[in-house]
Amino acid sequence: MTSTAAWDPAGYLRFGDERARPFTDLLARVGARDPRSVVDLGCGEGALTASLAQRWPGAQVTGIDNSAEMLAAAAAHAVPGRVRFAAGDVQGWAPDGPVDVLVTNAVLHWVPGHDALLRRWAGQLAPGGWLALQVPGNWRAPTHALLAGLCRSPRWAGAVGDAAPAEDAVLDPAGYLEVLAGAGLAVDAWETTYLHVLRGADPVLGWVRSTVLRPVLARLGEDDAAELTAEYAAALRAAYPPRADGTTLLPFRRVFAVGQRGVSR
């Protein structure tokens, strides 16, 4: 396995502003006023997690991630007694006690069958607690459809066919509403398509290199990874041509859901 298997915090943050906006939009719908326990599952490099402590000064904020590279970057955002980061896998994570706000941002598309996980997390909320999720909803977009077709082509199927992006990786807003409402939460679910204006050479490839392309390249040696990347880059240039001013538009659909547990009386 090549080094492409590891998460690259610097590459991920190349589009930091664009990736931060859905997190901000998600948290804007969370109405918690003075939570004590706030958890960010799949916290990445930690900057957005740290912002939760700024919003809720009285909270103990915990970021969980399974990437050593991301956690190393997140350490710069730790604040003793306020913000901490720990290694863990979202599928096996369990809190020490009820959670007031549980956030998972751009993570669950990596977890097959995560509807069961959401039901479990809903049951671990404190009375009045909030669960907030955001996932990419662009699995039928050219970025993913082209890569899936390439992975399943005769040239690459044997090596990376089972790493192709799946169209059913996430639910639509109605699906998440049903899951969380069925778990006893009052739910707000929606979707947004962001229109990102990207710059530079092969910017869409740069975007996906640190996300959906990463597990594909992890299966390949350097020469094969370079060959597949070149073929994919050409297809992306055709699907997302540069504009007259040199910028490239990337429509990016995201799916959101926020649920609140009722307060026992």
Side-chain angles (χ1 to χ4, degrees), residues 84-195:
R84 72 180 187 94
F85 298 93
D89 185 273
V90 298
Q91 290 177 283
W93 173 83
D96 295 330
V99 177
D100 296 308
V101 178
L102 193 159
V103 180
T104 179
N105 181 62
V107 173
L108 291 178
H109 54 293
W110 299 113
V111 183
H114 57 257
D115 51 339
L117 202 56
L118 289 169
R119 294 185 187 96
R120 173 155 60 88
W121 291 346
Q124 293 166 335
L125 295 176
W130 296 77
L131 193 164
L133 73 93
Q134 181 272 125
V135 290
N138 55 350
W139 301 95
R140 295 179 178 84
T143 48
H144 292 61
L146 290 170
L147 182 59
L150 194 59
C151 290
R152 296 178 181 128
S153 68
R155 170 68 179 91
W156 299 109
V160 294
D162 60 345
E167 289 188 1
D168 60 352
V170 302
L171 304 177
D172 60 16
Y176 287 114
L177 187 148
E178 291 297 333
V179 169
L180 296 182
L185 306 187
V187 186
D188 182 13
W190 70 99
E191 65 178 72
T192 298
T193 297
Y194 298 89
L195 191 59

